[in-house]
Short mmCIF file of all heavy atoms in Angstrom, two decimals:
data_model
loop_
_atom_site.label_atom_id
_atom_site.label_comp_id
_atom_site.label_asym_id
_atom_site.label_seq_id
_atom_site.Cartn_x
_atom_site.Cartn_y
_atom_site.Cartn_z
N ASN A 334 85.50 63.40 27.12
CA ASN A 334 85.87 62.06 27.54
C ASN A 334 87.20 61.68 26.91
O ASN A 334 87.41 61.90 25.71
CB ASN A 334 84.80 61.05 27.17
CG ASN A 334 83.47 61.32 27.83
OD1 ASN A 334 83.42 61.69 29.00
ND2 ASN A 334 82.37 61.13 27.12
N PHE A 335 88.07 61.06 27.70
CA PHE A 335 89.39 60.66 27.20
C PHE A 335 89.59 59.15 27.43
O PHE A 335 89.20 58.59 28.44
CB PHE A 335 90.48 61.43 27.94
CG PHE A 335 90.50 62.90 27.64
CD1 PHE A 335 89.80 63.79 28.43
CD2 PHE A 335 91.19 63.38 26.54
CE1 PHE A 335 89.79 65.15 28.14
CE2 PHE A 335 91.21 64.73 26.24
CZ PHE A 335 90.50 65.63 27.04
N ILE A 336 90.25 58.54 26.44
CA ILE A 336 90.63 57.14 26.55
C ILE A 336 92.13 57.03 26.22
O ILE A 336 92.56 57.43 25.15
CB ILE A 336 89.84 56.24 25.61
CG1 ILE A 336 88.33 56.33 25.93
CG2 ILE A 336 90.29 54.78 25.71
CD1 ILE A 336 87.44 55.54 24.98
N GLY A 337 92.87 56.48 27.17
CA GLY A 337 94.31 56.24 26.96
C GLY A 337 94.52 54.81 26.49
O GLY A 337 93.88 53.88 27.02
N ILE A 338 95.39 54.65 25.53
CA ILE A 338 95.67 53.34 24.97
C ILE A 338 97.15 53.01 25.10
O ILE A 338 98.00 53.82 24.70
CB ILE A 338 95.24 53.28 23.49
CG1 ILE A 338 93.76 53.51 23.37
CG2 ILE A 338 95.61 51.94 22.86
CD1 ILE A 338 93.29 53.80 21.97
N GLU A 339 97.47 51.88 25.67
CA GLU A 339 98.86 51.47 25.86
C GLU A 339 98.97 49.96 25.70
O GLU A 339 98.12 49.21 26.17
CB GLU A 339 99.33 51.89 27.25
CG GLU A 339 100.74 51.43 27.63
CD GLU A 339 101.81 51.85 26.65
OE1 GLU A 339 101.85 53.03 26.26
OE2 GLU A 339 102.61 50.98 26.24
N LYS A 340 100.02 49.54 25.05
CA LYS A 340 100.21 48.12 24.76
C LYS A 340 100.73 47.31 25.94
O LYS A 340 100.42 46.13 26.08
CB LYS A 340 101.17 47.99 23.57
CG LYS A 340 101.47 46.57 23.13
CD LYS A 340 102.41 46.58 21.94
CE LYS A 340 102.76 45.17 21.47
NZ LYS A 340 103.69 45.19 20.31
N TYR A 341 101.50 47.97 26.81
CA TYR A 341 102.24 47.24 27.83
C TYR A 341 101.66 47.40 29.22
O TYR A 341 101.65 48.52 29.77
CB TYR A 341 103.71 47.66 27.82
CG TYR A 341 104.39 47.43 26.51
CD1 TYR A 341 104.67 48.52 25.64
CD2 TYR A 341 104.74 46.16 26.09
CE1 TYR A 341 105.27 48.30 24.41
CE2 TYR A 341 105.37 45.95 24.86
CZ TYR A 341 105.63 47.04 24.03
OH TYR A 341 106.24 46.82 22.82
N PRO A 342 101.17 46.33 29.86
CA PRO A 342 100.62 46.42 31.21
C PRO A 342 101.61 46.97 32.22
O PRO A 342 101.23 47.69 33.14
CB PRO A 342 100.25 44.97 31.53
CG PRO A 342 100.07 44.30 30.21
CD PRO A 342 101.07 44.95 29.30
N THR A 343 102.89 46.60 32.07
CA THR A 343 103.90 47.07 33.02
C THR A 343 104.01 48.59 33.03
O THR A 343 104.16 49.19 34.09
CB THR A 343 105.27 46.46 32.64
OG1 THR A 343 105.19 45.04 32.77
CG2 THR A 343 106.36 46.96 33.59
N VAL A 344 103.90 49.21 31.87
CA VAL A 344 103.93 50.66 31.77
C VAL A 344 102.68 51.26 32.44
O VAL A 344 102.75 52.28 33.16
CB VAL A 344 104.01 51.13 30.30
CG1 VAL A 344 103.96 52.64 30.21
CG2 VAL A 344 105.30 50.63 29.68
N LEU A 345 101.53 50.63 32.23
CA LEU A 345 100.27 51.16 32.77
C LEU A 345 100.25 51.15 34.30
O LEU A 345 99.54 51.95 34.90
CB LEU A 345 99.11 50.33 32.23
CG LEU A 345 98.70 50.62 30.79
CD1 LEU A 345 97.55 49.73 30.39
CD2 LEU A 345 98.29 52.10 30.63
N LEU A 346 101.00 50.28 34.92
CA LEU A 346 101.01 50.26 36.38
C LEU A 346 101.38 51.61 36.96
O LEU A 346 100.79 52.06 37.97
CB LEU A 346 102.02 49.20 36.87
CG LEU A 346 101.61 47.74 36.79
CD1 LEU A 346 102.77 46.83 37.21
CD2 LEU A 346 100.39 47.47 37.64
N LYS A 347 102.31 52.30 36.34
CA LYS A 347 102.75 53.61 36.81
C LYS A 347 101.66 54.65 36.60
O LYS A 347 101.49 55.57 37.42
CB LYS A 347 104.06 54.00 36.16
CG LYS A 347 105.20 53.07 36.50
CD LYS A 347 106.51 53.50 35.94
CE LYS A 347 107.62 52.56 36.38
NZ LYS A 347 108.97 52.98 35.86
N ALA A 348 100.91 54.54 35.49
CA ALA A 348 99.81 55.45 35.25
C ALA A 348 98.70 55.27 36.31
O ALA A 348 98.17 56.26 36.86
CB ALA A 348 99.25 55.23 33.86
N PHE A 349 98.39 54.03 36.61
CA PHE A 349 97.33 53.76 37.58
C PHE A 349 97.72 54.21 38.98
O PHE A 349 96.88 54.64 39.77
CB PHE A 349 96.98 52.28 37.56
CG PHE A 349 96.13 51.86 36.40
CD1 PHE A 349 96.56 50.86 35.54
CD2 PHE A 349 94.93 52.49 36.11
CE1 PHE A 349 95.80 50.48 34.43
CE2 PHE A 349 94.18 52.13 35.01
CZ PHE A 349 94.60 51.14 34.18
N LYS A 350 99.00 54.15 39.27
CA LYS A 350 99.48 54.61 40.59
C LYS A 350 99.22 56.11 40.72
O LYS A 350 98.82 56.60 41.79
CB LYS A 350 100.96 54.31 40.76
CG LYS A 350 101.49 54.64 42.15
CD LYS A 350 102.94 54.17 42.31
CE LYS A 350 103.44 54.50 43.74
NZ LYS A 350 104.87 54.06 43.91
N LYS A 351 99.44 56.86 39.63
CA LYS A 351 99.19 58.31 39.65
C LYS A 351 97.69 58.58 39.82
O LYS A 351 97.30 59.56 40.46
CB LYS A 351 99.68 58.94 38.34
CG LYS A 351 101.17 58.87 38.13
CD LYS A 351 101.58 59.33 36.76
CE LYS A 351 103.07 59.13 36.53
NZ LYS A 351 103.47 59.50 35.15
N LEU A 352 96.87 57.74 39.25
CA LEU A 352 95.41 57.94 39.29
C LEU A 352 94.82 57.67 40.67
O LEU A 352 93.67 58.03 40.91
CB LEU A 352 94.73 57.07 38.24
CG LEU A 352 94.86 57.60 36.82
CD1 LEU A 352 94.45 56.50 35.82
CD2 LEU A 352 94.00 58.84 36.62
N ASP A 353 95.60 57.08 41.57
CA ASP A 353 95.11 56.86 42.92
C ASP A 353 94.80 58.19 43.60
O ASP A 353 93.99 58.24 44.56
CB ASP A 353 96.17 56.13 43.77
CG ASP A 353 96.29 54.65 43.37
OD1 ASP A 353 95.35 54.14 42.75
OD2 ASP A 353 97.33 54.05 43.71
N ASN A 354 95.37 59.28 43.09
CA ASN A 354 95.18 60.60 43.69
C ASN A 354 93.98 61.37 43.13
O ASN A 354 93.74 62.50 43.53
CB ASN A 354 96.44 61.43 43.53
CG ASN A 354 97.68 60.80 44.17
OD1 ASN A 354 97.57 60.28 45.29
ND2 ASN A 354 98.79 60.80 43.46
N TYR A 355 93.29 60.76 42.16
CA TYR A 355 92.22 61.47 41.49
C TYR A 355 90.95 60.63 41.40
O TYR A 355 90.97 59.41 41.58
CB TYR A 355 92.63 61.83 40.05
CG TYR A 355 93.89 62.67 39.97
CD1 TYR A 355 95.10 62.07 39.65
CD2 TYR A 355 93.85 64.04 40.19
CE1 TYR A 355 96.25 62.83 39.54
CE2 TYR A 355 94.99 64.80 40.11
CZ TYR A 355 96.21 64.19 39.80
OH TYR A 355 97.33 64.95 39.70
N LYS A 356 89.85 61.33 41.12
CA LYS A 356 88.58 60.67 40.80
C LYS A 356 88.07 61.33 39.51
O LYS A 356 87.42 62.39 39.56
CB LYS A 356 87.58 60.79 41.93
CG LYS A 356 86.29 60.02 41.69
CD LYS A 356 85.35 60.09 42.88
CE LYS A 356 84.08 59.27 42.60
NZ LYS A 356 83.15 59.35 43.74
N LEU A 357 88.38 60.74 38.39
CA LEU A 357 88.06 61.33 37.09
C LEU A 357 86.99 60.48 36.39
O LEU A 357 87.25 59.33 36.01
CB LEU A 357 89.32 61.40 36.22
CG LEU A 357 90.48 62.24 36.81
CD1 LEU A 357 91.72 62.09 35.94
CD2 LEU A 357 90.08 63.70 36.93
N ASN A 358 85.84 61.05 36.20
CA ASN A 358 84.74 60.34 35.53
C ASN A 358 84.86 60.35 34.01
O ASN A 358 84.10 59.66 33.31
CB ASN A 358 83.41 60.93 35.95
CG ASN A 358 83.13 60.80 37.43
OD1 ASN A 358 83.46 59.75 38.01
ND2 ASN A 358 82.52 61.81 38.01
N ASN A 359 85.80 61.13 33.49
CA ASN A 359 85.94 61.30 32.04
C ASN A 359 87.20 60.64 31.50
O ASN A 359 87.70 61.04 30.44
CB ASN A 359 85.94 62.78 31.67
CG ASN A 359 87.13 63.55 32.28
OD1 ASN A 359 87.61 63.21 33.34
ND2 ASN A 359 87.56 64.59 31.58
N LEU A 360 87.72 59.65 32.17
CA LEU A 360 88.93 58.96 31.71
C LEU A 360 88.79 57.44 31.84
O LEU A 360 88.37 56.94 32.88
CB LEU A 360 90.14 59.44 32.53
CG LEU A 360 91.46 58.73 32.24
CD1 LEU A 360 91.92 58.98 30.79
CD2 LEU A 360 92.55 59.18 33.20
N LYS A 361 89.14 56.74 30.78
CA LYS A 361 89.24 55.29 30.80
C LYS A 361 90.54 54.88 30.09
O LYS A 361 91.11 55.65 29.32
CB LYS A 361 88.04 54.66 30.06
CG LYS A 361 86.69 54.90 30.73
CD LYS A 361 86.61 54.25 32.09
CE LYS A 361 85.23 54.49 32.73
NZ LYS A 361 85.16 53.86 34.10
N ILE A 362 90.98 53.67 30.36
CA ILE A 362 92.24 53.19 29.84
C ILE A 362 92.08 51.78 29.28
O ILE A 362 91.43 50.93 29.86
CB ILE A 362 93.33 53.23 30.92
CG1 ILE A 362 93.62 54.69 31.33
CG2 ILE A 362 94.63 52.55 30.45
CD1 ILE A 362 94.54 54.84 32.51
N ILE A 363 92.73 51.56 28.12
CA ILE A 363 92.67 50.30 27.42
C ILE A 363 94.08 49.77 27.20
O ILE A 363 94.98 50.54 26.85
CB ILE A 363 91.97 50.46 26.05
CG1 ILE A 363 90.50 50.88 26.26
CG2 ILE A 363 92.02 49.17 25.25
CD1 ILE A 363 89.82 51.23 24.93
N CYS A 364 94.27 48.47 27.35
CA CYS A 364 95.58 47.85 27.08
C CYS A 364 95.43 46.98 25.83
O CYS A 364 94.98 45.84 25.90
CB CYS A 364 96.00 47.01 28.27
SG CYS A 364 97.67 46.32 28.14
N ILE A 365 95.80 47.57 24.66
CA ILE A 365 95.76 46.85 23.40
C ILE A 365 96.91 47.29 22.53
O ILE A 365 97.54 48.32 22.78
CB ILE A 365 94.44 47.10 22.64
CG1 ILE A 365 94.28 48.58 22.31
CG2 ILE A 365 93.23 46.54 23.37
CD1 ILE A 365 93.24 48.90 21.26
N ASP A 366 97.18 46.53 21.47
CA ASP A 366 98.10 46.94 20.44
C ASP A 366 97.38 47.92 19.53
O ASP A 366 96.20 47.74 19.19
CB ASP A 366 98.55 45.72 19.64
CG ASP A 366 99.73 46.02 18.73
OD1 ASP A 366 99.62 46.94 17.90
OD2 ASP A 366 100.76 45.33 18.85
N ALA A 367 98.05 48.98 19.09
CA ALA A 367 97.42 50.01 18.25
C ALA A 367 96.86 49.43 16.96
O ALA A 367 95.90 50.00 16.41
CB ALA A 367 98.42 51.12 17.93
N LYS A 368 97.39 48.36 16.46
CA LYS A 368 96.89 47.77 15.23
C LYS A 368 95.48 47.24 15.36
O LYS A 368 94.80 46.98 14.36
CB LYS A 368 97.83 46.68 14.73
CG LYS A 368 97.91 45.46 15.61
CD LYS A 368 98.96 44.46 15.09
CE LYS A 368 99.06 43.23 15.98
NZ LYS A 368 100.12 42.31 15.49
N GLU A 369 94.96 47.13 16.59
CA GLU A 369 93.60 46.68 16.83
C GLU A 369 92.61 47.84 16.93
O GLU A 369 91.43 47.61 17.20
CB GLU A 369 93.54 45.85 18.12
CG GLU A 369 94.40 44.62 18.15
CD GLU A 369 94.33 43.94 19.51
OE1 GLU A 369 93.24 43.52 19.91
OE2 GLU A 369 95.38 43.84 20.17
N ILE A 370 93.07 49.05 16.71
CA ILE A 370 92.27 50.24 17.00
C ILE A 370 90.91 50.22 16.31
O ILE A 370 89.88 50.60 16.91
CB ILE A 370 93.08 51.52 16.64
CG1 ILE A 370 92.44 52.73 17.27
CG2 ILE A 370 93.22 51.70 15.14
CD1 ILE A 370 92.74 52.89 18.72
N ASP A 371 90.86 49.77 15.07
CA ASP A 371 89.58 49.76 14.35
C ASP A 371 88.70 48.58 14.71
O ASP A 371 87.57 48.46 14.24
CB ASP A 371 89.82 49.80 12.84
CG ASP A 371 90.72 48.70 12.35
OD1 ASP A 371 91.50 48.15 13.15
OD2 ASP A 371 90.67 48.35 11.15
N GLU A 372 89.20 47.69 15.57
CA GLU A 372 88.38 46.60 16.10
C GLU A 372 87.72 47.02 17.41
O GLU A 372 86.82 46.35 17.89
CB GLU A 372 89.26 45.38 16.35
CG GLU A 372 89.92 44.80 15.10
CD GLU A 372 90.86 43.68 15.44
OE1 GLU A 372 90.66 43.00 16.45
OE2 GLU A 372 91.84 43.47 14.68
N VAL A 373 88.16 48.16 17.97
CA VAL A 373 87.66 48.64 19.28
C VAL A 373 86.71 49.81 19.12
O VAL A 373 85.73 49.92 19.86
CB VAL A 373 88.87 49.04 20.17
CG1 VAL A 373 88.38 49.66 21.47
CG2 VAL A 373 89.72 47.80 20.48
N PHE A 374 86.99 50.71 18.15
CA PHE A 374 86.15 51.90 17.97
C PHE A 374 85.52 51.91 16.60
O PHE A 374 86.07 51.33 15.63
CB PHE A 374 86.99 53.16 18.13
CG PHE A 374 87.70 53.29 19.44
CD1 PHE A 374 89.06 53.06 19.54
CD2 PHE A 374 86.99 53.63 20.59
CE1 PHE A 374 89.71 53.18 20.76
CE2 PHE A 374 87.64 53.75 21.81
CZ PHE A 374 89.00 53.51 21.90
#
């Protein structure tokens, strides 16, 4: 299982556009600042 973390929603738009071509059950994406990492996991 993979989780991608990115701070900027504008950058993530391009990632999600690429994902339109796939169906991946082992991938999720989070939009947070890295300094919050220990508040999430």
Side-chain angles (χ1 to χ4, degrees):
N334 297 322
F335 293 91
I336 300 176
I338 298 167
E339 175 56 48
K340 180 179 179 180
Y341 301 104
T343 297
V344 176
L345 284 178
L346 284 176
K347 296 185 178 181
F349 284 124
K350 186 174 181 179
K351 296 172 185 176
L352 284 166
D353 287 341
N354 301 316
Y355 302 100
K356 185 176 181 180
L357 301 172
N358 297 322
N359 63 329
L360 176 62
K361 295 295 181 182
I362 294 173
I363 296 172
C364 186
I365 60 165
D366 192 304
K368 65 185 180 183
E369 301 176 60
I370 195 78
D371 55 338
E372 299 175 27
V373 174
F374 302 105

